[in-house]
Amino acid sequence: MSLAVDPRAVESLLAFWADAGVEASYADEPIDRLAEGAALLRARSQPPPPVPSAPMLVASRGPDPTAAVEQARAQAALCNDLPALAAAIAAFDGCPLKSMGARQAVVSRGPADAPLMIIGECPGPDEDQQGEPFVGAAGQMLDRMLKAAGLEGRALITNTVFWRPPGNRAPTPQEQAVCAPFVERAIQLVQPRLLLLVGGASAKALLKREDGILTLRGRWFEWTSSDGALELPALPTLHPAFLLRQPAAKKKAWIDMLMLAERLDRPERPH
Ligand code: URA
């Protein structure tokens, strides 16, 4: 028996799900979360199962993240320019985000010899669609700020991870760790004078600190490559998406931008 499907009903259903924030499907069959919840409640009334040993815990989390980091490091080391790095990232399968509904890898935009590198958190829906970082509303605000501070066209922009996390969540530390060798290789290839770390998830990952962004922002830190060979001044600042939600915080971000522009144009002292 063939079922006649009304295309308008399908469009209306898809629009309903999009409005509810559902933008990707991961399986052919729906999952009944209510039934899962009931099973969970039943399980909670049972005595707790024995705690699995450490190897079982690791195995249940999917591919070994240490192996993926090593693989990323080895592949990044083979890249001698940004196009090669972008190709290696696109071909890399070690980041779990790649198979969570992202359309494509989003790597960088801006001049390859930029004196400034900006590292955001992760691609969002617009970046996922267009394949370039910071092209949505937050990116347009970032561009306006860079222009007003005299930094237009002087920054190479990238993120801590290269695939859009599902549901616009923040990237996990594990996802960031797997992508970190590629981020580090990009910094080594560009050799900027300064780094701008945009948002808490970027500042924490690059500086390996637990403090919140409101504590870190507006202060200079030293970013060091994993082999210790490269050290660069790094300035954490507020994320433009946060500024769109909290316009009163723009003043702080503007102060950071001016600090950045002043240091970038300060003549380097001869050694
Ligand atoms: N937010 C980010 O952190 N990065 C992007 O590329 C876009 C939005």
Side-chain angles (χ1 to χ4, degrees), residues 82 85-87 89-90 105-109 123 131-133 156-159 162:
L82 288 181
L85 189 67
I89 291 168
V106 176
V107 181
S108 68
R109 72 171 165 102
E132 290 203 321
L156 182 112
I157 304 178
T158 188
N159 281 301
F162 306 105

Side-chain angles (χ1 to χ4, degrees), residues 140-225:
Q140 285 159 22
M141 163 161 285
L142 180 65
D143 283 349
R144 284 196 297 276
M145 292 176 73
L146 290 170
K147 185 170 182 185
L151 299 173
E152 189 182 26
R154 299 176 70 191
L156 182 112
I157 304 178
T158 188
N159 281 301
T160 62
V161 297
F162 306 105
W163 292 270
R164 176 200 179 191
N168 296 332
R169 64 163 170 77
T172 65
Q174 185 194 323
E175 290 155 358
Q176 290 178 312
V178 172
C179 293
F182 291 114
V183 177
E184 178 171 311
R185 188 70 189 136
I187 298 172
Q188 288 166 338
L189 291 171
V190 175
Q191 297 268 337
R193 287 182 56 197
L194 302 178
L195 299 176
L196 181 69
L197 309 178
V198 172
S202 168
K204 285 183 190 181
L206 271 288
L207 301 176
K208 300 183 174 54
R209 294 184 68 115
E210 283 306 314
D211 316 66
I213 189 63
L214 289 170
T215 305
L216 296 174
R217 67 143 284 273
R219 295 158 54 194
W220 287 104
F221 293 85
E222 204 68 7
W223 172 85
T224 310
S225 60

Side-chain angles (χ1 to χ4, degrees), residues 83-95:
L85 189 67
I89 291 168
F92 180 66
D93 291 328
C95 178

Side-chain angles (χ1 to χ4, degrees), residues 14-22:
L14 287 174
F16 167 82
W17 286 118
D19 286 346
V22 178

Side-chain angles (χ1 to χ4, degrees), residues 4-266:
V5 179
D6 179 351
R8 284 168 311 175
V10 175
E11 273 169 23
S12 155
L13 185 62
L14 287 174
F16 167 82
W17 286 118
D19 286 346
V22 178
E23 294 160 341
S25 79
Y26 299 108
D28 291 339
E29 295 298 324
I31 298 170
D32 186 347
R33 299 287 179 203
L34 292 175
E36 277 184 358
L40 202 64
L41 284 176
R42 275 197 303 280
R44 283 211 184 124
S45 59
Q46 306 291 320
V51 177
S53 62
M56 278 174 71
L57 280 173
V58 171
S60 68
R61 284 198 196 129
D64 176 2
T66 320
V69 172
E70 283 316 311
Q71 197 192 358
R73 193 172 302 292
Q75 292 181 5
L78 296 174
C79 301
N80 292 322
D81 56 28
L82 288 181
L85 189 67
I89 291 168
F92 180 66
D93 291 328
C95 178
L97 287 173
K98 188 174 182 181
S99 52
M100 291 186 186
R103 281 189 177 86
Q104 56 186 317
V106 176
V107 181
S108 68
R109 72 171 165 102
D113 58 351
L116 170 66
M117 240 176 108
I118 298 178
I119 304 175
E121 298 183 344
C122 57
D126 295 303
E127 291 75 23
D128 184 49
Q129 180 94 46
Q130 296 181 41
E132 290 203 321
F134 279 105
V135 291
Q140 285 159 22
M141 163 161 285
L142 180 65
D143 283 349
R144 284 196 297 276
M145 292 176 73
L146 290 170
K147 185 170 182 185
L151 299 173
E152 189 182 26
R154 299 176 70 191
L156 182 112
I157 304 178
T158 188
N159 281 301
T160 62
V161 297
F162 306 105
W163 292 270
R164 176 200 179 191
N168 296 332
R169 64 163 170 77
T172 65
Q174 185 194 323
E175 290 155 358
Q176 290 178 312
V178 172
C179 293
F182 291 114
V183 177
E184 178 171 311
R185 188 70 189 136
I187 298 172
Q188 288 166 338
L189 291 171
V190 175
Q191 297 268 337
R193 287 182 56 197
L194 302 178
L195 299 176
L196 181 69
L197 309 178
V198 172
S202 168
K204 285 183 190 181
L206 271 288
L207 301 176
K208 300 183 174 54
R209 294 184 68 115
E210 283 306 314
D211 316 66
I213 189 63
L214 289 170
T215 305
L216 296 174
R217 67 143 284 273
R219 295 158 54 194
W220 287 104
F221 293 85
E222 204 68 7
W223 172 85
T224 310
S225 60
S226 51
D227 61 2
L230 184 60
E231 286 190 348
L232 291 172
L235 182 68
T237 192
L238 302 175
H239 197 287
F242 174 74
L243 303 180
L244 289 169
R245 294 191 303 271
Q246 305 274 338
K250 281 185 195 167
K251 188 174 165 190
K252 290 193 174 93
W254 182 238
I255 291 170
D256 300 346
M257 202 54 95
L258 294 180
M259 275 176 74
L260 183 74
E262 187 277 329
R263 185 153 184 178
L264 198 64
D265 288 330
R266 201 189 291 167

